[in-house]
Coordinates of all heavy atoms in Angstrom, one line a residue:
M1131 N 0.8 -1.2 0.0 CA -0.1 -0.1 0.0 C 0.9 1.2 0.1 O 1.9 1.2 0.7 CB -0.9 0.1 1.2 CG -2.0 -1.0 1.3 SD -3.0 -0.8 2.8 CE -4.4 -0.1 2.0
N1132 N 0.4 2.2 -0.7 CA 1.2 3.5 -0.7 C 0.7 4.5 0.3 O -0.5 4.1 1.0 CB 1.2 4.2 -2.1 CG -0.1 4.6 -2.6 OD1 -1.0 5.1 -1.8 ND2 -0.6 4.4 -3.9
V1133 N 1.3 5.5 0.5 CA 0.9 6.5 1.5 C -0.5 6.9 1.4 O -1.3 7.1 2.5 CB 1.8 7.6 1.7 CG1 1.4 8.7 2.8 CG2 3.2 7.2 2.0
D1134 N -0.8 7.2 0.2 CA -2.4 7.7 -0.1 C -3.2 6.5 0.3 O -4.4 7.0 0.9 CB -2.5 8.0 -1.6 CG -1.7 9.3 -1.8 OD1 -1.5 10.1 -1.1 OD2 -1.4 9.4 -3.1
Q1135 N -3.0 5.4 0.0 CA -4.0 4.3 0.5 C -4.1 4.2 1.9 O -5.0 4.0 2.7 CB -3.5 3.0 -0.1 CG -3.7 2.9 -1.6 CD -3.1 1.7 -2.3 OE1 -1.9 1.4 -2.0 NE2 -3.9 1.0 -3.0
L1136 N -2.8 4.3 2.6 CA -2.7 4.2 4.0 C -3.5 5.4 4.7 O -4.1 5.2 5.7 CB -1.4 4.2 4.7 CG -0.5 2.9 4.3 CD1 0.9 3.0 4.6 CD2 -1.1 1.7 4.9
E1137 N -3.5 6.5 4.2 CA -4.1 7.7 4.7 C -5.6 7.4 4.6 O -6.4 8.0 5.5 CB -3.8 8.9 3.8 CG -2.4 9.4 4.0 CD -2.1 10.1 5.3 OE1 -3.2 10.4 6.1 OE2 -1.1 10.4 5.7
Q1138 N -6.2 6.6 3.9 CA -7.6 6.3 3.7 C -8.1 5.3 4.9 O -9.3 5.3 5.1 CB -8.0 5.7 2.4 CG -7.7 6.6 1.2 CD -8.3 8.0 1.3 OE1 -9.5 8.0 1.7 NE2 -7.6 9.0 1.1
L1139 N -7.2 4.7 5.5 CA -7.6 3.8 6.6 C -7.8 4.5 7.9 O -7.2 5.5 8.3 CB -6.5 2.7 6.9 CG -6.1 1.8 5.7 CD1 -4.9 0.9 6.0 CD2 -7.4 0.9 5.1
S1140 N -8.7 3.9 8.7 CA -9.0 4.4 10.1 C -7.7 4.1 11.0 O -6.9 3.3 10.7 CB -10.2 3.7 10.6 OG -9.9 2.3 11.0
A1141 N -7.6 4.8 12.1 CA -6.6 4.7 13.0 C -6.6 3.2 13.5 O -5.6 2.6 13.7 CB -6.8 5.6 14.2
K1142 N -7.7 2.7 13.9 CA -7.8 1.3 14.3 C -7.2 0.3 13.2 O -6.4 -0.5 13.5 CB -9.3 0.8 14.5 CG -9.5 -0.5 15.0 CD -9.9 -0.8 16.2 CE -10.1 -2.2 16.7 NZ -9.0 -3.2 16.7
E1143 N -7.6 0.5 12.0 CA -7.1 -0.3 10.8 C -5.5 -0.1 10.8 O -4.8 -1.2 10.6 CB -7.7 0.0 9.5 CG -9.0 -0.5 9.5 CD -9.7 0.1 8.2 OE1 -9.7 1.3 7.9 OE2 -10.4 -0.8 7.5
L1144 N -5.0 1.1 10.8 CA -3.6 1.3 10.8 C -2.9 0.6 11.9 O -1.9 -0.1 11.8 CB -3.2 2.7 10.8 CG -3.7 3.6 9.6 CD1 -3.7 5.0 9.8 CD2 -2.8 3.1 8.4
H1145 N -3.5 0.7 13.2 CA -2.9 0.2 14.3 C -2.8 -1.3 14.2 O -1.9 -2.0 14.4 CB -3.7 0.5 15.6 CG -3.4 -0.4 16.7 ND1 -4.1 -1.5 17.0 CD2 -2.6 -0.3 17.7 CE1 -3.7 -2.1 18.1 NE2 -2.7 -1.4 18.5
D1146 N -4.0 -2.0 13.7 CA -4.0 -3.4 13.7 C -3.0 -3.9 12.7 O -2.2 -4.9 12.9 CB -5.4 -3.8 13.4 CG -6.4 -3.7 14.4 OD1 -6.0 -3.4 15.6 OD2 -7.6 -3.7 14.2
R1147 N -2.9 -3.2 11.6 CA -1.9 -3.8 10.5 C -0.5 -3.6 11.0 O 0.4 -4.3 10.9 CB -2.1 -3.0 9.3 CG -3.5 -3.4 8.5 CD -3.7 -2.4 7.4 NE -4.9 -2.7 6.7 CZ -5.1 -3.1 5.5 NH1 -4.1 -3.3 4.7 NH2 -6.3 -3.3 5.0
A1148 N -0.2 -2.4 11.6 CA 1.1 -2.1 12.0 C 1.6 -3.0 13.2 O 2.8 -3.7 13.1 CB 1.3 -0.7 12.6
V1149 N 0.7 -3.3 14.1 CA 1.1 -4.1 15.3 C 1.2 -5.5 14.7 O 2.2 -6.3 15.1 CB 0.0 -3.9 16.5 CG1 0.3 -5.1 17.5 CG2 0.3 -2.6 16.9
R1150 N 0.3 -6.0 14.0 CA 0.3 -7.3 13.5 C 1.6 -7.7 12.6 O 2.2 -8.6 12.9 CB -1.0 -7.7 12.6 CG -1.1 -9.2 12.0 CD -2.5 -9.4 11.4 NE -2.9 -8.4 10.5 CZ -3.9 -7.6 10.5 NH1 -4.6 -7.7 11.6 NH2 -4.2 -6.7 9.6
Y1151 N 1.9 -6.7 11.8 CA 3.2 -6.8 11.0 C 4.4 -7.0 12.0 O 5.2 -7.8 11.8 CB 3.3 -5.7 10.1 CG 4.4 -5.7 9.2 CD1 4.5 -6.4 7.9 CD2 5.8 -5.2 9.5 CE1 5.6 -6.6 7.2 CE2 6.8 -5.3 8.7 CZ 6.9 -6.2 7.6 OH 7.9 -6.2 6.7
A1152 N 4.4 -6.0 13.0 CA 5.6 -6.0 13.8 C 5.6 -7.2 14.6 O 6.8 -7.8 14.8 CB 5.4 -4.7 14.9
V1153 N 4.6 -7.8 15.1 CA 4.7 -9.1 15.8 C 5.0 -10.2 14.8 O 6.1 -11.0 15.3 CB 3.3 -9.3 16.5 CG1 3.2 -10.7 17.1 CG2 3.0 -8.4 17.6
R1154 N 4.5 -10.3 13.8 CA 4.8 -11.4 12.9 C 6.3 -11.3 12.4 O 6.9 -12.4 12.2 CB 4.0 -11.2 11.4 CG 2.6 -11.8 11.7 CD 1.9 -11.7 10.4 NE 0.6 -12.2 10.5 CZ -0.4 -11.9 9.7 NH1 -0.1 -11.2 8.6 NH2 -1.6 -12.3 9.8
H1155 N 6.9 -10.1 12.4 CA 8.2 -10.0 11.8 C 9.2 -9.7 13.1 O 10.4 -9.5 12.7 CB 8.4 -8.9 10.8 CG 7.7 -9.2 9.6 ND1 6.4 -9.0 9.4 CD2 8.1 -9.9 8.4 CE1 6.0 -9.5 8.1 NE2 7.1 -10.0 7.6
G1156 N 8.9 -9.8 14.2 CA 9.6 -9.7 15.4 C 10.3 -8.3 15.5 O 11.4 -8.1 15.9
D1157 N 9.5 -7.3 15.0 CA 10.0 -5.9 15.1 C 9.7 -5.3 16.4 O 9.0 -4.5 16.5 CB 9.5 -5.1 14.0 CG 10.2 -3.8 13.7 OD1 11.0 -3.4 14.7 OD2 9.8 -3.1 12.8
F1158 N 10.6 -5.7 17.5 CA 10.2 -5.2 18.7 C 10.7 -3.8 18.9 O 10.2 -3.1 19.8 CB 11.0 -6.1 19.8 CG 10.4 -7.5 19.7 CD1 11.1 -8.6 19.3 CD2 9.2 -7.8 20.3 CE1 10.6 -9.9 19.2 CE2 8.6 -9.1 20.1 CZ 9.3 -10.1 19.7
G1159 N 11.7 -3.3 18.0 CA 12.0 -2.0 18.0 C 10.8 -1.0 17.8 O 10.6 -0.1 18.5
F1160 N 10.0 -1.4 16.8 CA 8.8 -0.8 16.6 C 7.8 -0.7 17.7 O 7.3 0.2 18.1 CB 8.0 -1.1 15.3 CG 6.7 -0.6 15.2 CD1 6.5 0.7 14.7 CD2 5.5 -1.3 15.6 CE1 5.2 1.2 14.5 CE2 4.2 -0.7 15.5 CZ 4.0 0.6 14.9
L1161 N 7.5 -1.9 18.3 CA 6.6 -2.1 19.5 C 7.1 -1.2 20.7 O 6.4 -0.6 21.3 CB 6.5 -3.4 19.8 CG 5.9 -4.3 18.7 CD1 6.0 -5.8 19.2 CD2 4.5 -3.9 18.5
W1162 N 8.4 -1.2 20.8 CA 9.1 -0.4 22.0 C 9.0 1.1 21.8 O 8.5 1.9 22.6 CB 10.6 -0.7 22.2 CG 11.2 0.1 23.3 CD1 12.2 0.9 23.0 CD2 10.9 0.0 24.7 NE1 12.5 1.6 24.4 CE2 11.7 0.9 25.3 CE3 10.0 -0.7 25.4 CZ2 11.6 1.2 26.6 CZ3 10.0 -0.5 26.8 CH2 10.7 0.4 27.4
D1163 N 9.2 1.5 20.5 CA 8.9 2.9 20.1 C 7.5 3.3 20.2 O 7.2 4.4 20.7 CB 9.3 3.1 18.6 CG 10.8 3.0 18.4 OD1 11.6 3.2 19.4 OD2 11.2 3.0 17.3
L1164 N 6.5 2.5 20.0 CA 5.1 2.7 20.1 C 4.9 2.8 21.6 O 4.1 3.8 22.0 CB 4.3 1.5 19.5 CG 2.8 1.5 19.6 CD1 2.3 2.9 18.8 CD2 2.1 0.3 19.1
L1165 N 5.4 2.0 22.5 CA 5.2 2.2 23.9 C 5.6 3.5 24.4 O 5.1 4.1 25.3 CB 6.0 0.9 24.7 CG 5.2 -0.3 24.7 CD1 6.1 -1.4 25.4 CD2 3.9 -0.2 25.4
K1166 N 6.8 3.9 23.9 CA 7.3 5.2 24.2 C 6.5 6.4 23.9 O 6.5 7.3 24.7 CB 8.7 5.4 23.8 CG 9.7 4.4 24.4 CD 11.2 4.7 24.1 CE 11.5 4.6 22.6 NZ 12.9 4.7 22.3
V1167 N 5.8 6.4 22.8 CA 5.0 7.5 22.3 C 3.7 7.5 22.8 O 3.0 8.5 22.6 CB 5.2 7.6 20.7 CG1 6.7 7.9 20.3 CG2 4.5 6.5 20.0
I1168 N 3.1 6.4 23.2 CA 1.8 6.3 23.7 C 1.5 7.4 24.8 O 0.5 8.1 24.7 CB 1.3 5.0 24.1 CG1 1.2 4.1 22.8 CG2 0.0 4.9 25.0 CD1 0.9 2.6 23.1
P1169 N 2.3 7.5 25.8 CA 1.9 8.5 26.9 C 1.7 9.9 26.4 O 0.9 10.7 26.6 CB 3.0 8.4 27.9 CG 3.5 6.9 27.6 CD 3.4 6.6 26.2
A1170 N 2.8 10.3 25.4 CA 2.7 11.6 25.0 C 1.5 11.8 24.0 O 0.8 12.9 24.0 CB 4.0 11.9 24.0
A1171 N 1.1 10.8 23.2 CA 0.0 10.8 22.4 C -1.3 10.9 23.3 O -2.2 11.6 22.8 CB -0.1 9.6 21.5
Q1172 N -1.4 10.2 24.4 CA -2.5 10.3 25.2 C -2.6 11.8 25.8 O -3.7 12.2 25.9 CB -2.5 9.3 26.3 CG -2.9 8.0 25.7 CD -2.7 6.8 26.8 OE1 -2.0 6.8 27.7 NE2 -3.7 5.8 26.6
G1173 N -1.6 12.2 26.2 CA -1.6 13.7 26.6 C -2.0 14.6 25.6 O -2.9 15.6 25.9
A1174 N -1.6 14.5 24.5 CA -1.9 15.4 23.4 C -3.3 15.2 22.9 O -4.0 16.2 22.5 CB -1.0 15.1 22.1
S1175 N -4.0 14.0 23.2 CA -5.4 13.8 22.8 C -6.3 14.2 24.1 O -7.5 13.8 24.0 CB -5.6 12.4 22.5 OG -5.4 11.4 23.6
G1176 N -5.8 14.7 25.2 CA -6.6 15.0 26.3 C -6.8 14.0 27.3 O -7.7 14.2 28.2
S1177 N -5.9 12.9 27.2 CA -6.0 11.8 28.2 C -4.9 11.8 29.2 O -4.2 10.9 29.3 CB -6.2 10.5 27.5 OG -7.3 10.6 26.6
E1178 N -4.8 13.0 29.9 CA -3.6 13.1 30.8 C -3.5 12.0 31.9 O -2.5 11.5 32.3 CB -3.4 14.5 31.4 CG -2.8 15.5 30.4 CD -3.9 16.6 30.0 OE1 -4.9 16.7 30.8 OE2 -3.8 17.1 28.9
D1179 N -4.7 11.6 32.6 CA -4.8 10.6 33.5 C -4.2 9.3 32.8 O -3.5 8.6 33.6 CB -6.0 10.5 34.0 CG -6.5 11.7 35.0 OD1 -5.6 12.4 35.3 OD2 -7.7 11.8 35.1
E1180 N -4.7 8.9 31.7 CA -4.3 7.7 31.1 C -2.8 7.7 30.7 O -2.2 6.7 30.9 CB -5.1 7.4 29.7 CG -5.7 6.1 29.8 CD -6.6 5.9 28.7 OE1 -7.7 6.4 28.7 OE2 -6.2 5.1 27.8
S1181 N -2.3 8.8 30.5 CA -0.9 9.0 30.2 C -0.1 8.8 31.4 O 0.9 8.0 31.3 CB -0.6 10.5 29.6 OG 0.7 10.6 29.4
A1182 N -0.5 9.3 32.5 CA 0.2 9.0 33.8 C 0.2 7.5 34.1 O 1.2 6.9 34.6 CB -0.3 9.8 34.9
N1183 N -0.9 6.8 33.9 CA -1.1 5.4 34.2 C -0.1 4.6 33.4 O 0.6 3.7 33.6 CB -2.4 4.9 34.0 CG -3.4 5.3 35.0 OD1 -3.0 5.8 36.2 ND2 -4.6 5.5 34.8
D1184 N -0.1 4.9 32.1 CA 0.9 4.3 31.1 C 2.2 4.5 31.5 O 3.0 3.5 31.3 CB 0.6 4.8 29.6 CG -0.6 4.2 29.0 OD1 -1.1 3.2 29.6 OD2 -1.1 4.6 28.0
L1185 N 2.7 5.7 32.0 CA 4.0 5.9 32.2 C 4.5 4.9 33.6 O 5.4 4.4 33.6 CB 4.3 7.3 32.7 CG 4.4 8.3 31.6 CD1 4.4 9.8 32.0 CD2 5.7 7.9 30.7
S1186 N 3.4 4.7 34.4 CA 3.7 3.9 35.6 C 3.9 2.5 35.1 O 4.7 1.7 35.6 CB 2.4 3.9 36.5 OG 2.3 5.1 37.0
R1187 N 3.0 2.0 34.1 CA 3.2 0.7 33.6 C 4.5 0.4 32.9 O 5.1 -0.6 33.2 CB 2.0 0.4 32.8 CG 0.7 0.0 33.5 CD -0.5 -0.6 32.4 NE -1.3 0.5 32.6 CZ -2.1 0.9 31.6 NH1 -2.0 0.4 30.4 NH2 -3.0 1.9 31.7
V1188 N 4.9 1.3 32.0 CA 6.2 1.2 31.4 C 7.3 1.2 32.5 O 8.3 0.4 32.3 CB 6.2 2.3 30.4 CG1 7.8 2.3 29.8 CG2 5.3 2.2 29.2
S1189 N 7.1 2.1 33.4 CA 8.2 2.2 34.5 C 8.3 0.8 35.3 O 9.3 0.3 35.6 CB 7.7 3.3 35.5 OG 8.7 3.3 36.5
A1190 N 7.1 0.2 35.5 CA 7.2 -1.1 36.1 C 7.8 -2.2 35.3 O 8.6 -2.9 35.8 CB 5.7 -1.5 36.5
L1191 N 7.5 -2.2 34.0 CA 8.1 -3.1 33.2 C 9.6 -2.9 33.1 O 10.4 -3.9 33.1 CB 7.6 -3.0 31.7 CG 6.1 -3.5 31.4 CD1 5.7 -3.2 30.0 CD2 6.1 -5.0 31.7
L1192 N 10.0 -1.6 33.0 CA 11.5 -1.4 33.1 C 12.1 -1.9 34.3 O 13.3 -2.4 34.4 CB 11.7 0.1 32.9 CG 11.5 0.5 31.4 CD1 11.6 2.1 31.3 CD2 12.5 0.0 30.4
S1193 N 11.5 -1.5 35.5 CA 12.0 -2.1 36.8 C 12.2 -3.5 36.8 O 13.2 -4.1 37.4 CB 11.0 -1.5 37.8 OG 11.5 -2.1 39.1
D1194 N 11.1 -4.3 36.3 CA 11.2 -5.8 36.1 C 12.4 -6.2 35.4 O 13.1 -7.1 35.7 CB 9.9 -6.3 35.6 CG 8.7 -6.1 36.5 OD1 8.9 -5.9 37.8 OD2 7.6 -6.5 36.1
A1195 N 12.6 -5.6 34.2 CA 13.7 -5.8 33.3 C 15.1 -5.7 34.1 O 15.9 -6.4 33.9 CB 13.6 -5.2 32.0
L1196 N 15.1 -4.6 34.8 CA 16.4 -4.2 35.4 C 16.6 -5.2 36.6 O 17.8 -5.4 36.9 CB 16.4 -2.8 35.9 CG 16.4 -1.7 34.9 CD1 16.3 -0.3 35.4 CD2 17.6 -1.8 33.9
A1197 N 15.7 -5.8 37.3 CA 15.7 -6.6 38.4 C 15.7 -8.1 37.9 O 15.8 -8.9 38.9 CB 14.7 -6.2 39.4
S1198 N 15.7 -8.4 36.8 CA 15.3 -9.7 36.4 C 16.8 -10.6 36.3 O 16.6 -11.7 35.8 CB 14.8 -9.7 34.9 OG 15.8 -9.2 34.0
G1199 N 17.7 -10.1 36.9 CA 18.9 -11.0 37.0 C 19.0 -11.7 38.2 O 20.0 -12.3 38.6
E1200 N 18.0 -11.7 39.1 CA 18.1 -12.1 40.5 C 17.2 -13.3 40.7 O 16.3 -13.4 40.1 CB 17.8 -11.0 41.6 CG 18.8 -9.9 41.5 CD 18.3 -8.7 42.5 OE1 17.2 -8.8 42.7 OE2 19.1 -7.8 42.6
G1201 N 17.6 -14.2 41.6 CA 16.7 -15.3 42.0 C 16.4 -16.3 40.9 O 17.0 -16.3 39.9
K1202 N 15.2 -16.9 41.0 CA 14.8 -17.9 40.0 C 14.7 -17.3 38.7 O 14.8 -18.0 37.6 CB 13.5 -18.6 40.5 CG 13.8 -19.4 41.7 CD 12.5 -20.1 42.2 CE 12.6 -21.0 43.4 NZ 11.5 -21.6 43.8
L1203 N 14.1 -16.1 38.5 CA 13.9 -15.4 37.3 C 15.3 -15.2 36.6 O 15.3 -15.5 35.5 CB 13.1 -14.1 37.5 CG 13.0 -13.3 36.1 CD1 12.1 -14.1 35.2 CD2 12.2 -11.9 36.6
G1204 N 16.3 -14.8 37.5 CA 17.5 -14.6 36.7 C 18.1 -16.0 36.3 O 18.8 -16.0 35.2
E1205 N 17.9 -17.0 37.0 CA 18.4 -18.2 36.5 C 17.8 -18.7 35.3 O 18.2 -19.3 34.3 CB 18.2 -19.4 37.6 CG 19.3 -19.1 38.7 CD 20.7 -19.3 38.3 OE1 21.0 -20.1 37.5 OE2 21.5 -18.3 38.7
A1206 N 16.4 -18.4 35.3 CA 15.6 -18.9 34.0 C 16.0 -18.1 32.9 O 15.8 -18.5 31.7 CB 14.2 -18.7 34.3
L1207 N 16.5 -16.8 33.0 CA 16.8 -16.1 32.0 C 18.3 -16.1 31.5 O 18.7 -15.5 30.6 CB 16.5 -14.6 32.2 CG 15.0 -14.3 32.3 CD1 14.8 -12.7 32.9 CD2 14.3 -14.4 30.9
R1208 N 19.1 -17.0 32.2 CA 20.5 -17.1 31.9 C 20.7 -17.3 30.4 O 21.7 -16.7 29.8 CB 21.1 -18.2 32.7 CG 21.5 -17.8 34.1 CD 22.1 -19.1 35.0 NE 23.1 -19.7 34.2 CZ 24.5 -19.2 34.3 NH1 24.7 -18.3 34.9 NH2 25.4 -19.8 33.6
P1209 N 20.1 -18.3 29.7 CA 20.3 -18.5 28.3 C 20.1 -17.2 27.5 O 20.9 -17.0 26.5 CB 19.3 -19.6 27.9 CG 18.9 -20.2 29.2 CD 19.0 -19.3 30.2
V1210 N 19.2 -16.4 27.9 CA 18.9 -15.3 27.1 C 20.1 -14.3 27.2 O 20.6 -13.7 26.3 CB 17.6 -14.5 27.7 CG1 17.4 -13.2 27.0 CG2 16.4 -15.4 27.4
Y1211 N 20.6 -14.1 28.5 CA 21.7 -13.2 28.7 C 22.9 -13.7 28.1 O 23.6 -12.8 27.4 CB 21.9 -13.0 30.1 CG 20.8 -12.4 30.9 CD1 20.4 -13.0 32.2 CD2 20.0 -11.4 30.3 CE1 19.3 -12.4 32.9 CE2 19.0 -10.9 31.1 CZ 18.6 -11.4 32.3 OH 17.6 -10.9 33.0
I1212 N 23.2 -15.0 28.1 CA 24.3 -15.6 27.4 C 24.3 -15.3 25.9 O 25.4 -15.1 25.3 CB 24.5 -17.1 27.9 CG1 24.8 -17.2 29.2 CG2 25.5 -17.7 26.9 CD1 24.7 -18.6 29.8
E1213 N 23.3 -15.6 25.3 CA 23.1 -15.4 23.9 C 23.3 -14.0 23.5 O 24.0 -13.8 22.6 CB 21.6 -15.9 23.4 CG 21.6 -15.8 21.9 CD 20.2 -16.2 21.4 OE1 19.3 -16.5 22.3 OE2 19.8 -16.1 20.2
Y1214 N 22.7 -13.1 24.2 CA 22.7 -11.7 23.8 C 24.3 -11.2 24.0 O 24.8 -10.6 23.1 CB 22.0 -10.9 24.9 CG 22.1 -9.4 24.6 CD1 21.4 -8.8 23.5 CD2 22.8 -8.5 25.5 CE1 21.5 -7.4 23.3 CE2 23.0 -7.2 25.2 CZ 22.3 -6.6 24.1 OH 22.5 -5.3 23.9
L1215 N 24.9 -11.4 25.2 CA 26.2 -11.1 25.4 C 27.2 -11.7 24.5 O 28.2 -11.0 23.9 CB 26.7 -11.4 26.8 CG 26.0 -10.7 27.9 CD1 26.2 -11.2 29.3 CD2 26.3 -9.3 27.8
S1216 N 27.1 -13.0 23.9 CA 27.9 -13.6 23.1 C 27.7 -13.1 21.6 O 28.6 -12.9 21.0 CB 27.6 -15.2 23.1 OG 26.4 -15.5 22.5
K1217 N 26.6 -12.6 21.3 CA 26.4 -12.0 20.0 C 27.0 -10.7 19.8 O 27.5 -10.2 18.8 CB 24.9 -11.8 19.7 CG 24.1 -13.0 19.2 CD 22.7 -12.7 18.9 CE 21.8 -13.9 18.5 NZ 20.5 -13.6 18.4
H1218 N 27.1 -10.0 21.1 CA 27.6 -8.6 21.0 C 29.1 -8.6 21.4 O 29.8 -7.5 21.7 CB 26.8 -7.7 21.9 CG 25.4 -7.5 21.2 ND1 25.3 -6.7 20.2 CD2 24.3 -8.0 21.5 CE1 23.8 -6.8 19.8 NE2 23.5 -7.5 20.6
D1219 N 29.7 -9.7 21.6 CA 31.2 -9.9 22.0 C 31.6 -8.9 23.2 O 32.4 -8.1 23.0 CB 32.0 -9.6 20.7 CG 33.5 -10.0 21.1 OD1 33.7 -11.0 21.9 OD2 34.4 -9.4 20.3
V1220 N 30.7 -8.8 24.2 CA 30.9 -8.1 25.3 C 32.0 -8.5 26.3 O 32.1 -9.7 26.5 CB 29.6 -8.0 26.3 CG1 29.9 -7.1 27.4 CG2 28.5 -7.4 25.4
D1221 N 32.9 -7.6 26.6 CA 34.0 -8.0 27.5 C 33.7 -8.2 29.0 O 32.8 -7.5 29.3 CB 35.1 -6.8 27.4 CG 36.4 -7.1 28.2 OD1 36.7 -8.4 28.3 OD2 37.1 -6.2 28.5
L1222 N 34.1 -9.2 29.5 CA 33.8 -9.4 31.0 C 33.9 -8.4 31.9 O 33.3 -8.3 32.9 CB 34.4 -10.7 31.5 CG 34.2 -12.0 30.7 CD1 34.9 -13.2 31.3 CD2 32.5 -12.3 30.9
D1223 N 34.7 -7.4 31.6 CA 35.1 -6.2 32.5 C 34.0 -5.0 32.1 O 34.1 -4.1 32.9 CB 36.4 -5.7 32.3 CG 37.6 -6.7 32.7 OD1 37.2 -7.4 33.7 OD2 38.5 -6.8 32.1
D1224 N 33.2 -5.2 31.1 CA 32.2 -4.2 30.8 C 31.1 -4.2 31.8 O 30.5 -5.0 32.4 CB 31.7 -4.4 29.4 CG 32.6 -3.9 28.3 OD1 33.7 -3.4 28.6 OD2 32.5 -4.2 27.2

């Protein structure tokens, strides 16, 4: 679809297509970018209360990610960390 065709779609249709495509193709960068802009978009659309709630949820997810190296969760995620670090050739002193 070209831009003119996309412009004809409703916001819901655009959302559904974009999110479906990102999930199918593993484009987590897009999904992360979407999460980052939702609070500002809600504020701009007059939903400041919802914007604050979303910021809290994103903050909680980030907190979980930062603390996910401890306990049983940390052990369960070991293969993920090992794969990531080996792909990026991270020095043990980093």
Side-chain angles (χ1 to χ4, degrees):
M1131 295 184 94
N1132 64 38
V1133 174
D1134 290 332
Q1135 291 171 311
L1136 291 171
E1137 290 285 348
Q1138 301 302 313
L1139 299 176
S1140 71
K1142 172 112 175 75
E1143 289 173 306
L1144 290 169
H1145 164 270
D1146 291 350
R1147 288 173 187 241
V1149 170
R1150 186 173 45 245
Y1151 182 88
V1153 169
R1154 282 187 185 156
H1155 292 88
D1157 189 353
F1158 298 108
F1160 169 78
L1161 296 171
W1162 179 246
D1163 289 343
L1164 183 61
L1165 283 174
K1166 291 189 298 187
V1167 299
I1168 285 173
Q1172 286 179 326
S1175 68
S1177 302
E1178 282 111 24
D1179 289 342
E1180 229 175 292
S1181 177
N1183 289 336
D1184 283 346
L1185 286 173
S1186 294
R1187 281 186 247 145
V1188 170
S1189 176
L1191 286 172
L1192 288 173
S1193 178
D1194 287 348
L1196 292 174
S1198 64
E1200 300 174 344
K1202 291 180 181 179
L1203 178 59
E1205 287 302 316
L1207 291 171
R1208 281 178 53 79
V1210 174
Y1211 300 138
I1212 291 168
E1213 180 181 2
Y1214 178 79
L1215 294 170
S1216 66
K1217 281 183 181 177
H1218 295 284
D1219 196 28
V1220 175
D1221 186 25
L1222 292 178
D1223 295 329
D1224 287 349

